[in-house]
Amino acid sequence: MVKKRQNVSFAAYVAILPMALTVLLAYLGTMLWTARVSVSSSRTFPASDFVGASQYIRLFNNERWLLSLQNVAVYGVLFIAACLVIGFLLAVFIDQKVMAEGALRTIFLYPYAMSFVATGLIWQWILNPELGIQEVLHKLGWTNAQFDWIVDQDMAIYTIVIATVWQASGLVMALMLSGLRGVDEEIWKAARIDGIPRWRVYLSIVLPMLGASVSTAFVLLFVMVVKVFDAVVAMTQGGPGTASEVPAKFIMDYLFGRANIGLASAASIVLLLTVLAIVAPLYFVRNRRAAMGA
């Protein structure tokens, strides 16, 4: 029996070895290499010298980078808030055991299965002033109606929010719905007996119970915010001008378009540290709560 367990344990280690090597080499290795390049004078090709924080100083003196940070902050707040609210409302709706529940779940979740490039192209057409919503309104008789956000420098970033919220809300719905299905039916019975309004039960009792689902959804959405790129390129190319510039596009442009590996690497490390600063505390809190619960 002991020998059999040892064989199973050995097989498990062998099975996990390729993934462990991938993590160590492809992920951790490239992160360390990027960090090393970010403190060098690398441009077209990596350099082995050391220039300290010079690349980071140049980065934060770059107006395009600062604009990309401003844009991603606005985008992130609106995107995460809208996805959480809409996803929760969709989950509550489906949790009422509506007809064709399976079909509705599929419909709401389907956009998430699409690539961000496809989403961007679809919404680029929908928001195009000469082809999309604005043109439809004109043909319906509202000739003065305007919906030209995608070509408006002040509004372009909000079109990215609209498109990506449409795509990601279904994921949040799925996470929230799994949490709602785990709520004890006795809570609803007690609430009905006490005459507590249903909306109050959701806000005061059910929503706090969905802490794990909410935190998981938040982390996934935050990672989407940090790496948003495909939808921006497909919809606006970062424009008009640089109005919808985001950090990921800045990095790709400087890495491939301007052949500045050092500056692109510094920007990548800044994004990595940002993700760690948000995700690590959440991970710590969740593990602490799990340990206390155990």
Side-chain angles (χ1 to χ4, degrees), residues 74-89:
V74 173
Y75 168 79
V77 170
L78 295 177
F79 171 73
I80 293 175
C83 283
L84 289 176
V85 172
I86 295 173
F88 177 70
L89 293 177

Side-chain angles (χ1 to χ4, degrees), residues 2 23 58 99 114 125 182 231-232 237 242 250-251 254 264 285:
V2 174
V23 171
R58 288 181 56 208
M99 293 179 60
M114 299 174 61
W125 180 84
V232 173
Q237 288 289 330
T242 56
F250 176 94
I251 292 169
Y254 272 80
V285 170

Side-chain angles (χ1 to χ4, degrees), residues 1 33 39 101 107 110-111 114 121 144 152 159 161 177 192 203-204 214 229 255 260 264 270 279-280 286 289-290:
M1 187 70 176
W33 184 83
V39 292
E101 177 184 321
I107 291 170
Y110 178 75
M114 299 174 61
L121 292 174
N144 294 324
D152 186 334
T159 64
V161 175
L177 185 60
R192 285 195 294 269
L203 290 181
S204 301
V214 173
F229 172 76
L255 185 61
N260 194 329
V270 169
V279 174
R286 287 186 61 176
R289 285 181 178 175

Side-chain angles (χ1 to χ4, degrees), residues 176 206-217 286 289:
M176 296 288 191
V206 175
L207 196 54
M209 294 175 64
L210 300 180
S213 297
V214 173
S215 62
T216 300
R286 287 186 61 176
R289 285 181 178 175

Side-chain angles (χ1 to χ4, degrees), residues 60-78:
F60 283 94
N61 285 330
N62 188 309
E63 292 185 3
R64 184 177 171 186
W65 171 253
L66 296 178
L67 176 61
S68 73
L69 292 180
Q70 177 183 331
N71 283 340
V72 83
V74 173
Y75 168 79
V77 170
L78 295 177

Side-chain angles (χ1 to χ4, degrees), residues 184-250:
D184 193 341
E185 187 64 29
E186 295 299 320
I187 293 176
W188 296 110
K189 292 179 181 179
R192 285 195 294 269
I193 292 172
D194 293 338
I196 303 175
R198 198 171 184 85
W199 65 267
R200 185 64 181 270
V201 178
Y202 275 111
L203 290 181
S204 301
I205 302 175
V206 175
L207 196 54
M209 294 175 64
L210 300 180
S213 297
V214 173
S215 62
T216 300
F218 176 84
V219 170
L220 292 175
L221 294 174
F222 181 77
V223 172
M224 289 182 196
V225 169
V226 172
K227 67 178 187 179
V228 61
F229 172 76
D230 298 350
V232 173
V233 172
M235 289 182 68
T236 65
Q237 288 289 330
T242 56
S244 57
E245 181 81 2
V246 290
K249 186 174 184 301
F250 176 94

